[in-house]
Amino acid sequence: MSPTNIFAADSTPADTILGLSIFVLAVTGTIFTIVFTLLAYTIVKFRRRPGDDDREPAQIYGSNQVELAWTVIPVLIVLVLFLATARVIASVQNAARPRGAISVTVIGHQFWWEYRYPDLKVVTANELHIPVSDAAHPTPTFLTLLSADTDHSFWVPRLAGKTDLIPNHPNSMWVDPHETGLFLGQCSQYCGVQHALMLLRVYVQTRDEFDRWIKQQSQAAAPMSEIASAMSQTASRGQRIFETTACVNCHTVAGTVAKGRFGPDLTHLMSRDTIASGALANTADNLRRWIRNPAAIKPGCLMPAMELSDPNLDAVTAYMETLR
Amino acid sequence: MYCLIAAESAIFSIFVVAYLFYTGKSLTGPQPRDVLSVPVFFTICLLSSSLTIHFAVKFLEGGKVRAFALWWLLTIVLGALFLAGTAQEWHRLIFREGLTIQTNLFGTTYYSLVGLHAFHVTVGLIALTSVSAFAVLGYLRQEHAERVKVLSMYWHFVDVVWVVVFIVVYIVGR
Amino acid sequence: MSAEPIVLRETSAVRPPLVEMLHEWVTTVDHKRLGILYIIFALMFLILGGVEATIMRIQLIRPLNDFVSPQVFNRMFTMHGTTMIFFVAMPLVFGFGNYLVPLMIGARDMAFPRLNAFSFWMTAFGGLFLYFSFIGGDGLYGAGNAPDVGWFAYAPLTSQTFSPGHSTDFWTVALLISGFGSIGTAINLVTTIVCMRCPGMTLGRMPLLAWMNLVMGGLVILAVSPLSAAQIMLMVDRYLGGHFFDTQAGGSAVLWMHFFWVFGHPEVYVLVIPAFAFASEIIPVFSRKAIFGYPVMVAATVGIGFISMSVWAHHMFAVGMSSNSNTFFVLSTMAIAVPTGIKIFNWLGTMWGGKILFKVPMLFCVAFLFQFLIAGLTGIMQGAAPFDWQLTASYFVVAHFHYVIVGGILFTIFAAFYYWFPKASGRMYSESLGRLHFWLFVIGFHLTFDFMHIPGVLGMPRRIYTYEPGRGWDAWNLIITIGAFFQAAGILVFLYNLLWSYFHGEIAGSDPWDAWTLEWTTTSPPPAYNFATVPEVKSRRPLWDLKHPEDPDWKYE
């Protein structure tokens, strides 16, 4: 079962689209069957046979009744399809926003996703957490879509159709997932070299889990004094290297001097399952490989290799590991 | 020539659409009403040149090559005056008002649209001057009237475009 | 006018030296030679475009493959799309139009032969310029390499910030130049058809191919110009510091999309209307019946031309337009399905009651009918905007448009090749090689493009150089790639057939198909002046009238 199957809808926009799709498929499928059969019949019945004489068949130049019929019927079909479509457009694009809705601002970057929860004061990257929505007391998530550079597109097929993120052109969309779970997708508007690995991971959680996640994410990074002492020496060294190298120009770690916004917020890096916008599992090894040379994993990505020596690399990785 | 005019109209339409779309959207820099002055005299020059070219063609069709040459030359002079006026306007905008194609959306769309038109006027003037040269050298005769008429259609088109540009830039856009 | 062509004796039986022959071809203004030049040029670029496609398919044969780097892959899809549309499909369409229109309307050449030559050489130069990008700029590896912004070059990816170096400029300038060439050819076609029909050939007696080239020419004039305008704006942004599409200065990326698709949508009709033209000439001849409903076919084509200028934003349903805008474009898109669908019924009506002969041209036309039906239906699916919110920018739309362009347009172009090859070369092609080409290509086409719809509905976006395993896309991509190789084999057989038949094919005579339009009244190949005496016609099928004096068309029209 594909995790990105558009027919496995699990949220109202995707459901509504699925309903329309099935109707359209039924209509076009019927048209196909009828015309296909007519074509097949024609080429079989009216083919020249070996015993045929050379006389030309009757030359029929047209028939007003037949041509009228096969004009009027398509017009009616088109009208029906149009009306069905117009209804769905309105229901998805002009949906009212209920009081319990969660707001998330999604900012597309080359080649990662920034998520800001303005009301809940949370900033994170690449893995979006939203609460499941119950039909009786809906808590949909309304996403405002912005871009920091080129055009991107947010497509998680099981939750909704795709909507583009275009600089200087804010868009919005909404989802109300019916079930908890992990929903996958990826950027769907060519945005540059690493468009292919700008993956989407949407974690739909129960309300409790979501609230706990928010609470954890809104805290600043734990100060070094609270970290287990076995780790703290290497990690401390790592923090110093991090803060004195160009890392802080791009990355934010809340509660420290690192306030860069060009790259993802790393405050709670270890709370994520993946790194590099979904391209790698978040293990110590992968993290180390990534920091050493991002271009080896995502050629063309905008994070440079900082040419760290091995001990320094270990230290910085250790520091990253403390960012829970 | 009608087909060429259709194609050129399509090109100009896109520039006009861009101009109208960006009206009022410049984030910084001079705005149209601050710096634009309506070029009445030079517009009259250009539009009259449509009249003079019309007469010129009529004379050539009637076989009066000398009268044709005179009115044709007058057309060129009027067209050249128009270009000089544009150049003067641009000089003022760039050096006194600080508006360049880079300044803001207004600058970009204004210079592109007016510039595209001025480019077409220039090409037209080159063609008209070539015809003048042929006339002066004695190669032009009454039987060429049809071809000269086709060229005059291009010139009329350039004038019509100016009417549109004028309305969009100096009336609607301000 | 007699049915037998008058042949004037050639004055020299000796073949001139190669240099002289080349000089003749390079300086020719004869519409037939220019037509052939366009077609040869297009076939060369077809091979280049096909190589680019094959490279992409090998890269995508399995997940996380590393056959080529992302930078190379991105150049491949950009160049493949740009090449196939501008330097294969358009030159093929112009080439056939150039060759056939004057012959079919009884004219001796196009209205402006020198403009014709100029337009061809502009297009040729544009193509060469685009391919120079592979070695231009910073050479094979630097920022000056081939364009990699996609064939529709969305802003702001094309700004200097995100596309430094000259790669984007190669795209822009090559297409500006060939765009002017296209407009030149269109002006020529329209003027020729309007002004140079032979006596007796009213607009209502023109072959459908002439009507369709007329509408196509009009569309090129109105649609290619906006692209040229937008490209000029892009150059202003990139080199003069302009802000047309500079979102930092308040500019709009969506404006580029509107301008591009105002060109881009009519463009696909520029390609498909001539395909309809070929089908409309070939199907009647091999069904042995006149085209069913000529007036409606004309009206439908003109209708398609007009409506096609109002549907462009159906390429932009996911961009964030208002629900009213989206709804309008759904309406116009669905509306255009009506005249398009009608044509399929008219072709069906032509075959109904006929005596169908399945020579190679007809095989390709029959396949076209089935395939175009499917292509149109997947188009309607995407015309339903919310459905399109899932399908757009995925492999579903890639499957759809290849279904139209390959399954529809290329198939009729193959049919046209086989049908008119005897006229242009004087020889018959090999029927068995033609059938081999047909079956190889049909199998390859369906393996690739039928199954390509599936990754689309399973969430696979387009323009990705690799993909994650576990999405359910792997097996389908494998099948798609295999199909590509069948198609490549088919093309090779086709090219071999053309070459072999040119030298060894049976002599064709002037009318090998027992057809009815004017080009079959002159020799194969036609002399430079086309017709010794200017023909005069009384109906839509002048040759039918001559062959059937007891039952001529003009009695019924």
Side-chain angles (χ1 to χ4, degrees):
Chain A
M1 257 320 280
S2 168
T4 46
N5 182 351
I6 69 174
F7 296 119
D10 202 33
S11 152
T12 308
D15 292 331
T16 329
I17 291 174
L18 179 58
L20 179 66
S21 320
I22 299 198
F23 178 64
V24 172
L25 282 169
V27 171
T28 51
T30 311
I31 298 174
F32 174 73
T33 313
I34 295 176
V35 182
F36 181 93
T37 311
L38 280 172
L39 277 171
Y41 177 76
T42 310
I43 60 177
V44 168
K45 171 124 173 96
F46 297 107
R47 68 190 192 286
R48 172 176 294 197
R49 276 157 245 255
D52 257 351
D53 59 23
D54 271 338
R55 271 184 333 184
E56 307 280 32
Q59 301 294 302
I60 316 261
Y61 299 93
S63 154
N64 283 338
Q65 300 95 307
V66 171
E67 297 191 64
L68 195 63
W70 73 39
T71 307
V72 167
I73 296 177
V75 168
L76 291 174
I77 295 177
V78 156
L79 207 60
V80 165
L81 284 175
F82 166 67
L83 291 171
T85 306
R87 272 185 64 202
V88 173
I89 294 177
S91 83
V92 174
Q93 281 195 267
N94 303 336
R97 196 198 148 104
R99 279 192 36 185
I102 310 285
S103 288
V104 177
T105 304
V106 182
I107 304 169
H109 295 257
Q110 283 181 320
F111 303 98
W112 59 281
W113 304 92
E114 178 179 349
Y115 299 117
R116 306 181 88 90
Y117 297 70
D119 309 323
L120 303 168
K121 314 261 185 285
V122 164
V123 176
T124 183
N126 291 326
E127 294 183 1
L128 179 64
H129 289 243
I130 58 178
V132 70
S133 179
D134 172 14
H137 307 284
T139 49
T141 304
F142 273 70
L143 305 169
T144 304
L145 304 173
L146 309 172
S147 170
D149 38 43
T150 58
D151 302 333
H152 302 274
S153 191
F154 189 94
W155 190 28
V156 180
R158 295 188 62 200
L159 296 182
K162 64 181 68 66
T163 308
D164 287 359
L165 291 80
I166 299 177
N168 199 28
H169 185 101
N171 278 334
S172 69
M173 60 180 280
W174 62 280
V175 296
D176 64 349
H178 310 316
E179 284 168 8
T180 57
L182 170 60
F183 293 83
L184 301 179
Q186 59 190 92
C187 177
S188 300
Q189 185 65 263
Y190 179 62
C191 50
V193 182
Q194 271 300 328
H195 162 68
L197 292 180
M198 192 172 154
L199 307 177
L200 282 165
R201 298 172 72 85
V202 180
Y203 292 82
V204 177
Q205 302 177 301
T206 62
R207 193 67 213 220
D208 282 337
E209 289 169 343
F210 176 71
D211 289 337
R212 258 178 285 134
W213 181 83
I214 289 283
K215 189 143 182 277
Q216 186 224 10
Q217 294 286 316
S218 45
Q219 289 165 351
M224 203 51 67
S225 50
E226 289 177 25
I227 313 274
S229 56
M231 268 204 327
S232 67
Q233 268 208 330
T234 333
S236 281
R237 205 163 68 78
Q239 181 173 13
R240 268 198 308 283
I241 296 170
F242 183 84
E243 290 175 0
T244 53
T245 319
C247 314
V248 296
N249 291 337
C250 289
H251 292 287
T252 297
V253 177
T256 71
V257 303
K259 294 195 192 332
R261 301 231 346 225
F262 188 73
D265 186 304
L266 299 177
T267 314
H268 301 283
L269 180 63
M270 288 299 121
S271 72
R272 299 179 204 154
D273 291 335
T274 61
I275 57 174
S277 65
L280 283 177
N282 190 357
T283 64
D285 259 349
N286 281 342
L287 192 52
R288 193 175 187 284
R289 271 175 60 210
W290 172 256
I291 299 173
R292 179 201 207 99
N293 186 6
I297 294 151
K298 282 181 129 187
C301 87
L302 298 178
M303 173 164 154
M306 298 310 295
E307 313 282 328
L308 294 173
S309 64
D310 276 338
N312 286 353
L313 196 51
D314 290 332
V316 172
T317 309
Y319 171 53
M320 291 291 108
E321 301 252 284
T322 68
L323 299 175
R324 300 202 168 282
Chain B
M1 181 51 71
Y2 288 128
C3 287
L4 181 64
I5 288 175
E8 296 275 29
S9 305
I11 296 184
F12 273 103
S13 303
I14 297 294
F15 279 91
V16 166
V17 166
Y19 189 90
L20 287 171
F21 180 74
Y22 283 134
T23 317
K25 292 211 171 78
S26 294
L27 298 177
T28 59
Q31 299 296 322
R33 74 180 72 83
D34 302 331
V35 298
L36 284 184
S37 64
V38 184
V40 178
F41 173 70
F42 296 109
T43 301
I44 293 177
C45 282
L46 190 67
L47 297 184
S48 333
S49 72
S50 253
L51 207 59
T52 57
I53 205 175
H54 174 78
F55 285 136
V57 170
K58 277 275 168 296
F59 279 124
L60 186 62
E61 284 170 345
K64 302 191 168 59
V65 182
R66 286 264 281 277
F68 155 80
L70 206 67
W71 286 90
W72 193 256
L73 202 61
L74 197 52
T75 309
I76 297 176
V77 167
L78 288 169
L81 266 175
F82 172 83
L83 276 185
T86 307
Q88 190 190 65
E89 168 89 347
W90 284 18
H91 188 271
R92 181 183 67 80
L93 284 171
I94 295 171
F95 293 107
R96 288 234 297 275
E97 306 285 358
L99 180 75
T100 67
I101 203 171
Q102 298 183 10
T103 308
N104 55 9
L105 289 173
F106 164 54
T108 302
T109 52
Y110 170 80
Y111 283 108
S112 301
L113 180 58
V114 175
L116 187 69
H117 176 259
F119 170 73
H120 281 76
V121 173
T122 309
V123 168
L125 284 180
I126 293 174
L128 294 184
T129 310
S130 316
V131 170
S132 268
F134 285 127
V136 160
L137 291 171
Y139 289 119
L140 197 67
R141 288 182 293 281
Q142 184 181 10
E143 65 245 37
H144 299 127
E146 170 94 34
R147 296 187 187 181
V148 171
K149 184 154 184 216
V150 169
L151 182 56
S152 78
M153 276 161 51
Y154 172 81
W155 190 255
H156 288 306
F157 165 69
V158 165
D159 274 8
V160 169
V161 171
W162 179 250
V163 170
V164 174
V165 172
F166 182 85
I167 293 176
V168 164
V169 173
Y170 295 100
I171 301 181
V172 173
R174 261 159 46 114
Chain C
M1 183 183 80
S2 76
E4 284 305 313
I6 301 172
V7 180
L8 297 181
R9 203 155 287 283
E10 295 286 316
T11 49
S12 159
V14 176
R15 244 168 146 197
L18 183 63
V19 174
E20 221 182 278
M21 276 176 60
L22 281 176
H23 180 260
E24 257 184 56
W25 278 86
V26 167
T27 56
T28 187
V29 295
D30 178 345
H31 72 99
K32 297 184 290 300
R33 289 203 161 174
L34 287 170
I36 291 175
L37 281 175
Y38 263 117
I39 291 175
I40 294 179
F41 172 87
L43 287 177
M44 293 189 325
F45 279 82
L46 177 67
I47 297 178
L48 290 174
V51 166
E52 286 151 0
T54 311
I55 292 176
M56 287 194 281
R57 283 317 319 169
I58 295 177
Q59 167 64 13
L60 291 174
I61 201 172
R62 61 193 171 102
L64 299 176
N65 201 6
D66 57 3
F67 178 64
V68 291
S69 70
Q71 288 90 339
V72 169
F73 186 90
N74 296 341
R75 287 179 201 133
M76 289 297 108
F77 71 70
T78 304
M79 293 294 276
H80 169 81
T82 309
T83 302
M84 290 302 201
I85 301 257
F86 293 100
F87 301 112
V88 177
M90 282 188 86
L92 279 173
V93 149
F94 288 148
F96 276 99
N98 244 313
Y99 194 97
L100 294 171
V101 167
L103 282 170
M104 289 178 92
I105 64 174
R108 293 202 186 288
D109 205 319
M110 297 279 264
F112 305 118
R114 281 172 298 187
L115 176 65
N116 207 1
F118 178 71
S119 301
F120 167 72
W121 290 108
M122 291 275 268
T123 304
F125 180 72
L128 292 172
F129 188 77
L130 179 69
Y131 273 80
F132 182 73
S133 63
F134 277 116
I135 53 177
D138 290 350
L140 290 173
Y141 298 102
N145 204 295
D148 60 354
V149 290
W151 87 277
F152 31 91
Y154 274 177
L157 188 60
T158 48
S159 68
Q160 283 279 11
T161 322
F162 300 109
S163 290
H166 290 303
S167 49
T168 302
D169 303 320
F170 279 107
W171 179 88
T172 315
V173 173
L175 294 187
L176 258 175
I177 294 174
S178 67
F180 290 134
S182 305
I183 295 177
T185 304
I187 293 178
N188 231 332
L189 276 171
V190 171
T191 312
T192 306
I193 293 172
V194 170
C195 301
M196 292 178 60
R197 282 163 286 124
C198 64
M201 189 178 280
T202 60
L203 283 175
R205 287 186 194 153
M206 271 199 318
L208 281 179
L209 187 136
W211 265 111
M212 296 193 183
N213 273 279
L214 179 61
V215 173
M216 183 265 278
L219 272 182
V220 169
I221 287 170
L222 292 177
V224 172
S225 314
L227 178 66
S228 307
Q231 289 171 329
I232 294 173
M233 292 177 180
L234 180 61
M235 291 303 265
V236 167
D237 273 14
R238 282 177 64 84
Y239 288 102
L240 295 180
H243 305 292
F244 280 107
F245 311 112
D246 176 7
T247 51
Q248 299 283 334
S252 167
V254 177
L255 194 64
W256 169 271
M257 295 182 192
H258 279 295
F259 289 160
F260 184 85
W261 289 115
V262 159
F263 151 77
H265 193 82
E267 165 70 9
V268 310
Y269 285 96
V270 165
L271 300 179
V272 90
I273 288 176
F276 295 158
F278 301 142
S280 303
E281 297 296 333
I282 296 173
I283 292 178
V285 168
F286 289 95
S287 308
R288 307 312 304 164
K289 283 182 64 214
I291 187 83
F292 188 89
Y294 173 102
V296 169
M297 288 294 266
V298 171
T301 309
V302 172
I304 289 175
F306 276 111
I307 305 180
S308 76
M309 306 247 23
S310 71
V311 304
W312 78 87
H314 68 220
H315 299 267
M316 295 162 60
F317 279 143
V319 148
M321 298 188 299
S322 70
S323 57
N324 288 337
S325 300
N326 282 336
T327 308
F328 169 77
F329 284 104
V330 170
L331 184 61
S332 58
T333 304
M334 299 264 182
I336 208 170
V338 174
T340 318
I342 285 176
K343 285 172 174 267
I344 298 189
F345 298 136
N346 279 66
W347 290 313
L348 197 93
T350 308
M351 296 191 303
W352 188 277
K355 282 189 186 170
I356 305 174
L357 189 60
F358 286 103
K359 292 278 188 201
V360 175
M362 190 60 175
L363 285 177
F364 278 102
C365 282
V366 168
F368 155 77
L369 287 173
F370 285 100
Q371 287 155 188
F372 188 70
L373 170 67
I374 297 175
L377 292 175
T378 58
I380 291 187
M381 289 179 209
Q382 290 173 99
F387 200 1
D388 194 52
W389 293 335
Q390 294 280 27
L391 300 174
T392 193
S394 77
Y395 264 85
F396 190 90
V397 64
V398 178
H400 161 75
F401 68 67
H402 281 94
Y403 232 87
V404 183
I405 300 186
V406 181
I409 297 171
L410 190 60
F411 269 69
T412 54
I413 288 181
F414 285 142
F417 262 108
Y418 285 105
Y419 184 63
W420 279 293
F421 178 83
K423 174 54 56 181
S425 68
R427 294 179 181 266
M428 294 304 287
Y429 58 83
S430 153
E431 188 77 16
S432 49
L433 279 180
R435 297 185 113 85
L436 179 61
H437 163 210
F438 175 75
W439 287 110
L440 277 174
F441 204 80
V442 160
I443 292 171
F445 170 79
H446 285 279
L447 271 178
T448 297
F449 297 111
D450 288 7
F451 292 103
M452 194 184 273
H453 291 87
I454 300 179
V457 302
L458 293 184
M460 182 173 179
R462 55 190 290 197
R463 301 174 154 188
I464 53 176
Y465 73 94
T466 190
Y467 52 93
E468 298 280 300
R471 301 275 179 126
W473 305 339
D474 311 9
W476 310 112
N477 272 287
L478 175 62
I479 299 177
I480 292 169
T481 300
I482 293 174
F485 287 101
F486 276 87
Q487 289 175 74
I491 300 270
L492 289 173
V493 170
F494 167 65
L495 293 172
Y496 178 72
N497 195 356
L498 286 180
L499 271 170
W500 183 90
S501 305
Y502 182 77
F503 292 107
H504 302 294
E506 230 179 84
I507 303 290
S510 58
D511 183 17
W513 306 119
D514 194 5
W516 305 311
T517 41
L518 284 177
E519 75 271 29
W520 306 105
T521 65
T522 186
T523 56
S524 301
Y529 46 83
N530 291 351
F531 304 98
T533 55
V534 174
E536 195 176 319
V537 305
K538 282 163 77 172
S539 78
R540 290 172 192 148
R541 295 189 297 169
L543 217 48
W544 168 278
D545 293 347
L546 281 172
K547 294 174 187 174
H548 301 270
E550 77 291 353
D551 188 27
D553 267 359
W554 48 261
K555 271 201 185 154
Y556 303 97
E557 281 176 9

